[in-house]
Structures are given as C-alpha cells and as structure tokens.
Amino acid sequence: QVQLTESGGGLVQAGGSLRLSCAASGRAFSMYAMGWFRQAPGQEREFVATISRGGSTYYVDSVKGRFTASRDNAKNTVYLQMNSLKPEDTAVYYCAAKSSRFAGTNWGEYDYWGQGTQVTVAP
C-alpha cells in the first residue's frame, strides 16, 4: 500500500514556475514507477510525465522542454518542476504510482493516486 500526497500547487503568472512535490508513505517507494497527470475542468485526465524506477523520464509533447520530473528515493518523493507556465497548464495535478519498473501514459495502469493539487496560471 502506498499513500501519495501532492503539494506545491498555487497561482502563478504566465511564464512563471512552480515545483510540485509528491510524498509517498508506505514501503518500497523505490520499487514504483511514478507518473504525473492533470485534469482541467470539463476535460479528461491527461498524462503529463512519467519517471521510471531508475529515473528515466518521458513527457507529453506539450510540456517537453518546460517540465522536468525527478525523484529522490531517500526522501520517498517525486517532483515536477514546471517552468515557462502557460494558462493552458491550468489544472489539478495528480501523482500516481505503479508497481513496476516503468509506467506509461495510460492512467488506468497506475495502482495508487494522490488527491491532487491545483495549479492555476494567470494570463
């Protein structure tokens, strides 16, 4: 069992930055691949980024070059550094864990989810 808690969301002007954190409780965090997803009002949950057990990352095209996922297994935490934010990045951001070496872009394959943190980017 893994419990995930996101933090770091907020209101920022376009072009600004935020760093989201996702703290995991439970056992063997390092054995999980992690993902970040987001959901804007009235829209489906969208894949943002994934980071493997070993730290390999993959991003949706719309955030490549602006967002960076990382993990600190000693702190049981995964991060999403978001730079050059745009109004279209506004959404609730969720982290998720999959008991696997790698994880993909399909939200249905993840085993555990956090409660989400709101990111609002003003024009």
Side-chain angles (χ1 to χ4, degrees), residues 48-108:
V48 176
T50 185
I51 183 165
S52 71
R53 286 182 192 169
S56 299
T57 54
Y58 179 78
Y59 304 93
V60 67
D61 284 348
S62 60
V63 308
K64 284 180 181 177
R66 301 189 297 123
F67 290 12
T68 303
S70 61
R71 64 189 299 159
D72 185 339
N73 289 338
K75 295 183 178 180
N76 282 11
T77 302
V78 62
Y79 304 97
L80 186 67
Q81 177 67 45
M82 306 186 296
N83 299 328
S84 302
L85 282 161
K86 305 176 181 179
E88 52 264 42
D89 294 319
T90 295
V92 177
Y93 283 71
Y94 299 89
C95 69
K98 179 180 179 181
S99 181
S100 177
R101 183 177 180 185
F102 295 99
T105 63
N106 183 356
W107 66 266

